[in-house]
Amino acid sequence: MAKDPIYLDNQATTPLAPEVFDVMVPWLRDNFGNPHSAHILGRKAAAAVEVAREQVAGLLPNDGKTLFAGSATEAINLGFGAVHALKAAGRDKIIVLDTEHAAVRDTALSYEKHGFMVERHPVGPDGIASLEKLEDAIDDKTALVAAMLVNNEIGVIQPIEAIAELAHANGSLMLCDVVQGYGRVDIPGNVDMAAVSAHKIYGPKGIGALWVRNGISLPPAIHGGGQEQGIRSGTLSPALCAGFGQAAALCMSRRDSDAAHIQALADKARSCFVDWTINGSTEYRYPGNLNIRRDGLDVARLMSDVRSVAFSAGSACASGSGRPSHVLAALGLEAQQIKSSIRLGFGRYNSLEDIETAVKYINEAVEAQLA
Ligand code: PLP
């Protein structure tokens, strides 16, 4: 059997933590109760869901509620529902950063058909949004500002606290896609909504959550039995909830050791990729994401030459579609520079040896290609 590749694509998804698997199994195998049933089996399942909700909420701001959803994409879609009430109050503008994940960007654009004007706000060559320009853009017509904490493609960290302040100064709401930072980077307490995903923190796929500040009302997005406060009907999976909760609890208990480990992996990688240029800010970034380019490189060829390392050309989302990365384009990179960029994502279960071996394979293939 072929050996598994070294996995360096931890922004696309992460492996399931063994502790998460262990917590999920009894809910899949033995405890089949519907958490919305009134009898003892249902109550037991409901209690597990609520424990998980607390665990997930433990890494989110205070004074809000945490709603489970099928993914962060779904959570973001739920959160955008808040704009309907603001439209009735004369606010018909939505601002999103130009480098947002499609989950935010395309959801925002879908509101054009509801009469909203959607503004995609530019970032600088370092990938960071300018606060001065945002201050000019946000006005009393703005219903919602959506900006991500950590960019999935280039790892840069946006000044979310300051952006939320600007939004609030104009009476606008602030939604933050914290998917790539949750459990690893502090989430400013002044956002109004935050979307998270379990599978980016060594939890299961198929579950995310939306945190909503108290006092913000969301319309029902999925109609039915009235679960999740009537906003997202449908029977919850106790196994997925429990797995998500355990993954969040692990992030909390291992926070310092995980952070030190990721930093060590990043330092190692950066010291080995000397002839490469980092895309995006070198200062304001999550170290587990290394997006780098090497002039003249054909990344499609590199990826087929280096099959023993699982890494990504730009973003997994963008590369799957064949479209050039909108994030790298937003930095002002030329098409050729975009095509010569790769993303390496380091995670909890990578070793220093993984990095050394992967870098060796990549650098050897690059030298052979550019010779
Ligand atoms: N937002 C960001 C920044 C992401 O990286 C992703 C996943 O790649 C998502 C949203 C969507 O998350 P999910 O897969 O849970 O829908």
Side-chain angles (χ1 to χ4, degrees), residues 11 71-73 76 101 103 148 152 177 179-180 197 199-200 317:
Q11 276 77 42
S71 60
T73 301
I76 289 162
H101 188 277
M148 69 207 308
N152 53 304
D177 169 352
V179 167
Q180 296 286 346
S197 181
H199 74 100
K200 310 289 183 173
C317 311

Side-chain angles (χ1 to χ4, degrees), residues 68-70 74 78 220-222 226-236:
F68 283 121
E74 192 186 309
L78 300 182
I222 300 182
Q227 291 93 344
E228 296 305 88
Q229 308 207 7
I231 294 161
R232 193 251 187 192
S233 288
T235 303
L236 287 173

Side-chain angles (χ1 to χ4, degrees), residues 72-367:
T73 301
E74 192 186 309
I76 289 162
N77 276 264
L78 300 182
F80 264 81
V83 301
H84 289 295
L86 293 160
K87 177 102 189 303
R91 291 177 179 264
D92 61 358
K93 187 161 134 186
I94 294 172
I95 298 178
V96 302
L97 300 188
D98 209 9
T99 49
E100 291 298 302
H101 188 277
V104 164
R105 219 162 63 121
D106 291 2
T107 304
L109 290 172
S110 78
Y111 275 81
E112 285 178 342
K113 66 176 179 288
H114 298 294
F116 283 87
M117 203 185 82
V118 178
E119 192 176 303
R120 282 186 285 162
H121 196 77
V123 296
D126 57 358
I128 312 279
S130 139
L131 292 175
E132 290 77 43
K133 288 188 184 150
L134 264 174
E135 188 167 11
D136 290 343
I138 305 172
D139 58 18
D140 61 4
K141 287 276 177 202
T142 309
L144 181 79
V145 179
M148 69 207 308
L149 180 60
V150 176
N151 186 274
N152 53 304
E153 293 195 34
I154 54 175
V156 302
I157 300 176
Q158 298 293 347
I160 294 300
E161 187 170 0
I163 296 175
E165 277 169 15
L166 291 177
H168 294 158
N170 286 278
S172 319
L173 290 178
M174 165 77 189
L175 182 148
C176 188
D177 169 352
V178 302
V179 167
Q180 296 286 346
Y182 177 66
R184 293 149 285 176
V185 174
D186 287 339
I187 299 172
N190 64 345
V191 300
D192 297 307
M193 291 180 274
V196 296
S197 181
H199 74 100
K200 310 289 183 173
I201 60 157
Y202 316 99
K205 292 169 188 59
I207 184 159
L210 178 71
W211 175 86
V212 193
R213 180 173 300 292
N214 291 332
I216 295 172
S217 74
L218 297 177
I222 300 182
H223 304 270
Q227 291 93 344
E228 296 305 88
Q229 308 207 7
I231 294 161
R232 193 251 187 192
S233 288
T235 303
L236 287 173
S237 158
L240 292 177
C241 293
F244 193 1
Q246 176 68 9
L250 278 173
C251 280
M252 195 180 264
S253 64
R254 298 178 52 126
R255 194 175 165 120
D256 292 345
S257 56
D258 275 357
H261 180 60
I262 300 294
Q263 189 63 58
L265 299 175
D267 290 346
K268 176 92 221 159
R270 279 174 74 161
S271 71
C272 299
F273 282 120
V274 278
D275 296 322
W276 298 68
T277 306
I278 295 182
N279 291 322
S281 170
T282 48
E283 194 180 346
Y284 301 108
R285 66 182 304 117
Y286 169 63
N289 179 316
L290 187 61
N291 193 312
I292 46 178
R293 65 176 192 274
R294 179 88 187 259
D295 285 343
L297 187 68
D298 175 346
V299 166
R301 196 177 135 197
L302 179 69
M303 292 184 75
S304 85
D305 287 346
V306 187
R307 290 180 189 250
S308 49
V309 184
F311 63 107
S312 161
S315 143
C317 311
S319 58
S321 69
R323 279 180 289 162
S325 156
H326 72 281
V327 173
L328 296 180
L331 305 187
L333 297 190
E334 312 269 322
Q336 198 46 51
Q337 293 175 308
I338 295 174
K339 280 194 202 139
S340 66
S341 296
I342 60 171
R343 181 188 68 183
L344 303 175
F346 317 121
R348 183 187 290 161
Y349 302 110
N350 289 125
S351 62
L352 276 173
E353 196 189 348
D354 282 346
I355 306 299
E356 278 161 13
T357 311
V359 169
K360 179 171 164 294
Y361 289 154
I362 292 172
N363 276 339
E364 278 173 6
V366 169
E367 296 316 325

